[in-house]
Amino acid sequence: MAMLQTGLQTFNCPMVGLGTWLSSQGQVGQAVDWALEAGVRLIDTAYMYQNEKEIGDALKKWFDSGKLKRSDLFIVTKLPPMGMKASNVEKYLKKSLEALQLSYVDLYLIHCPFGLKEDDNSVNFKFREGAQVIIETDDHVALWHQMERMFDLGLTKSIGVSNFSSSQIDRIMDIARIRIAVNQVECYAYWQQKNLRKTMEKYGIKLMAYGPLGSPGRPSQVFKGTLPAVLQDPVVTTIAQKWNKTPAQVLLRHLLQLGFIVIPKSVNEARIKENSQVLDFNLCNEDMVILNGLDRGIKGRTFLFDVFPTDKDATKEPEYPFNDERDNYSMFDVQEAGDGKSPSEKDTSSAAN
């Protein structure tokens, strides 16, 4: 079966975007305004973030003013865990489109490889006693066929996944008519996803990095332990001083030169502007090798989905993605990936598979 070349294979995606997880109502619209003013053209959101309506209002204001056209922007949203049934894909995408006030998104992702039971009486999870959600896993093959149908209907320009493992990617690619365009995963200097990247590179799947700065703004209830202080790492600060850049800019530039799309989250005007100003310099090969060496393997992973109240242990679920031995490695197993150079033939402002 010939695979349809579509999505990021046929048009450009901005390399630097605005993440909006934990950007609450009353803040996110202003953050989008600041990002667009700074030249950011990629906005990442999700049904689960419950901020699509305010993002849609901000986008409409820009469209109505004539400052931007719909085709100027790249909008990403996601199928929520409680939508993880083939029969729910169209319903939840249309809910997102209605909130965003758009006729299509540029990229639609499956947010997570395992599901949570839908509450028929609300737009959230089904809760049991003690506010425990019920995990429900659906067939990824049937789900992907419905994602392909969303492309066929013109509701999205490309389709992809988020938080999927190598084995889960293989399973989809074995049956895909339309290839996975993107896998959006946690990726930053301490957790560089070197094994998962091999699988993605085999299929031409682009990596979109969330938490590219270590997600320092996370509240304690969504993270166990101590957040990684990668922005204060002496290696990072030394390189930043060398280039007269901030540590955040160095960390983002490192990922860009590895070929990844980055979506740092912020609701601070100065930081949004700072995060967007990463296309005017190149780290040298020596710096890239040093930054590649910061990888801590699985000890650097911080998003584990183990802080949410579920009726069963999520880490024991068949589709829990972070048990895949192919993807996990220790800091002692780290192999240098590439020469660390910025590809001279690649446009660092856009990406296409």
Side-chain angles (χ1 to χ4, degrees), residues 109-346:
L109 304 176
I110 301 173
H111 203 152
C112 178
F114 62 89
L116 301 169
K117 190 171 179 63
E118 181 185 35
D119 188 341
D120 295 334
N121 300 314
S122 75
V123 294
N124 215 317
F125 311 124
K126 177 76 173 179
F127 284 86
R128 279 185 173 175
E129 296 178 8
Q132 299 296 301
V133 298
I134 303 171
I135 293 175
E136 224 178 45
T137 299
D138 199 21
D139 176 12
H140 287 171
V141 170
L143 204 62
W144 190 252
H145 286 322
Q146 282 302 304
M147 293 289 284
E148 292 175 326
R149 181 170 166 269
M150 296 307 98
F151 170 83
D152 294 337
L153 292 174
L155 301 179
T156 183
K157 298 289 187 181
S158 54
I159 51 179
V161 296
S162 181
N163 301 301
F164 271 53
S165 71
S166 288
S167 297
Q168 291 164 337
I169 287 172
D170 283 340
R171 192 186 317 151
I172 289 177
M173 293 301 290
D174 281 346
I175 57 85
R177 175 173 59 90
I178 300 174
R179 71 171 65 238
I180 298 170
V182 162
N183 188 15
Q184 186 183 115
V185 294
E186 178 187 14
C187 188
Y188 72 115
Y190 289 170
W191 175 231
Q192 297 182 30
Q193 298 277 11
K194 291 182 177 176
N195 286 359
L196 177 61
R197 282 156 52 188
K198 295 175 185 176
T199 300
M200 294 171 60
E201 288 165 2
K202 177 175 68 173
Y203 295 118
I205 298 169
K206 202 72 180 175
L207 189 151
M208 185 176 287
Y210 69 74
L213 304 177
S215 194
R218 271 177 287 177
S220 58
Q221 61 265 33
V222 296
F223 180 70
K224 294 179 180 178
T226 303
L227 285 168
V230 67
L231 287 164
Q232 291 78 43
D233 190 297
V235 169
V236 177
T237 58
T238 298
I239 294 175
Q241 290 171 358
K242 170 183 173 181
W243 292 98
N244 195 29
K245 295 292 182 179
T246 67
Q249 289 171 325
V250 166
L251 290 168
L252 294 174
R253 186 67 211 179
H254 170 236
L255 297 181
L256 288 172
Q257 288 184 214
L258 289 174
F260 310 153
I261 303 164
V262 294
I263 49 169
K265 174 263 178 185
S266 182
V267 293
N268 177 281
E269 182 178 10
R271 286 197 288 270
I272 289 172
K273 185 176 181 180
E274 172 189 324
N275 292 341
S276 72
Q277 296 174 336
V278 291
L279 302 176
D280 60 348
F281 74 106
N282 279 289
L283 297 169
C284 66
N285 182 58
E286 179 184 2
D287 293 336
M288 288 296 293
V289 170
I290 292 170
L291 290 167
N292 288 349
L294 290 179
D295 194 0
R296 297 178 177 179
I298 56 175
K299 289 187 176 180
R301 189 197 292 275
T302 68
F303 284 87
L304 292 168
F305 302 155
D306 59 350
V307 296
F308 303 105
T310 55
D311 64 332
K312 295 180 284 185
D313 182 355
T315 66
K316 301 294 197 298
E317 281 297 294
E319 296 296 356
Y320 180 75
F322 305 142
N323 292 332
D324 194 331
E325 293 182 359
R326 291 168 56 189
D327 298 337
N328 294 332
Y329 57 93
S330 75
M331 61 189 299
F332 303 106
D333 299 326
V334 171
Q335 298 293 322
E336 197 59 59
D339 62 6
K341 294 181 180 179
S342 179
S344 58
E345 296 182 358
K346 290 185 179 180

Side-chain angles (χ1 to χ4, degrees), residues 8-72:
L8 299 189
Q9 291 80 36
T10 56
F11 64 91
N12 287 338
C13 170
M15 290 290 281
V16 181
L18 176 71
T20 63
W21 178 59
L22 296 180
S23 297
S24 61
Q25 295 180 35
Q27 291 183 314
V28 70
Q30 181 64 80
V32 169
D33 281 340
W34 286 330
L36 296 178
E37 288 168 1
V40 174
R41 295 295 180 260
L42 163 61
I43 307 296
D44 176 80
T45 185
Y47 182 90
M48 283 288 296
Y49 300 168
Q50 298 183 15
N51 59 16
E52 290 175 313
K53 175 62 168 64
E54 190 168 326
I55 291 173
D57 289 342
L59 297 178
K60 185 176 186 301
K61 181 177 68 175
W62 280 75
F63 297 149
D64 290 347
S65 72
K67 293 179 180 178
L68 288 175
K69 305 185 297 295
R70 172 65 185 91
S71 58
D72 294 327

